[in-house]
Amino acid sequence: MTTPARATDIVFTRHPARRGLAWLAESWAMFSRARLPWLVLISIYYMILLLVNVVPILGQLVWPLLKPVFAVGLLAAAWAQERGGAPGPADLFRGFKANVRALLPLGIVFIAGVALAALSTSLVDGGMFLGLVAGEEAPTLESLSSPRLQAGLLFGALVALPVTLALWFAPALVVFQDAGPGTALGASLRAALANWRPLTVYALGVMAFGVLLPLLAGQMLLMLMPSETMLAVVRFLLLAYGLMFAATLHVSDYVSYRDVFHHGETLAPTASGGKR
């Protein structure tokens, strides 16, 4: 295949808002067809995350740097399932056999974006958030509910939005279309902005099905049967559901990429070491 030189060389489809919920529904269906393999894969992924983060300072830097590399592994698992295979632990490390030189800069962009967003909160909250993160101030109910802190976090989220959108499809573009890091970031940003409607609906769906509904269901169970045993049951159910929903979100990275950049294609994109 010809390596795209510019972000404008990569064609994408602009979708209506309703596709955002369709991405979640299709991803849940895909996960449901291979529940156990996905749960094993995601459990290994988060175990690696915990082990890396145990290392002081270095772990907090290494993980964001490698995040796009592991993202490719999860994309590869979905790619394999789409062709009749089953997601496996080996898929998680396929990113290290792909175009790592193009993936690592995405990690650097991610680190820079998070750092910039965190620093920007001080422009609104006077450094409250940074003080809490650095441990200079003990978190209290009053400080966490402070309007200044909430406004600072909202401002930081807005600052992080362009980087988030630029990274949304970038790992997939690197591995499936052999795009360089700059081209992938630019194409991802263009496609995400053009598809802001389904992405907004997708984000609202994640909030509803991933946070609000599970918490509401848990509260209702505790109200109907208040006891320590039920509290333990609710915690277990929320943990199990959270793991399944997390797997669904990782699958949705692939589903949304396919829909935006390969809409209407009979065959899915092929990948082998970052080449097609």
Side-chain angles (χ1 to χ4, degrees), residues 63-254:
W63 181 255
L65 188 65
L66 294 179
K67 191 176 184 298
V69 182
F70 281 103
V72 165
L74 296 168
L75 289 166
W79 178 88
Q81 182 185 349
E82 194 175 42
R83 284 156 180 74
D91 290 325
L92 194 57
F93 304 97
R94 284 195 183 183
F96 292 93
K97 300 177 183 179
N99 196 347
V100 177
R101 290 186 178 181
L103 293 170
L104 290 180
L106 301 184
I108 295 174
V109 170
F110 177 70
I111 293 172
V114 170
L116 179 62
L119 291 173
S120 70
T121 60
S122 62
L123 297 175
V124 177
D125 65 15
M128 289 182 65
F129 174 71
L130 294 178
L132 290 171
V133 172
E136 297 174 358
E137 300 180 25
T140 63
L141 181 60
E142 182 180 358
S143 64
L144 294 176
S145 59
S146 167
R148 288 183 64 193
L149 178 63
Q150 300 299 324
L153 291 174
L154 178 59
F155 181 73
L158 292 174
V159 171
L161 186 59
V163 173
T164 301
L165 297 179
L167 288 168
W168 196 283
F169 301 113
L173 290 168
V174 168
V175 71
F176 291 127
Q177 302 204 27
D178 202 25
T183 300
L185 290 166
S188 176
L189 182 60
R190 290 180 65 244
L193 289 174
N195 284 279
W196 69 270
R197 292 178 179 84
L199 283 174
T200 300
V201 172
Y202 171 88
L204 293 174
V206 170
M207 180 64 67
F209 294 106
V211 180
L212 299 180
L213 291 180
L215 291 179
L216 180 60
Q219 289 293 331
M220 289 179 65
L221 286 174
L222 290 174
M223 288 175 62
L224 292 172
M225 293 176 283
S227 67
E228 290 296 324
T229 301
M230 180 52 64
L231 178 60
V233 170
V234 167
R235 286 175 176 172
F236 173 78
L237 291 175
L238 288 177
L239 178 62
Y241 177 78
L243 194 60
M244 291 190 291
F245 195 73
T248 300
L249 294 185
H250 287 297
V251 175
S252 73
D253 289 338
Y254 179 78

Side-chain angles (χ1 to χ4, degrees), residues 21-43:
L21 285 180
W23 293 340
L24 282 175
E26 292 168 14
S27 300
W28 177 262
M30 194 169 176
F31 160 74
S32 297
R33 290 192 292 271
R35 282 193 182 92
L36 185 57
W38 272 111
L39 290 176
V40 171
L41 185 64
I42 293 301
S43 297

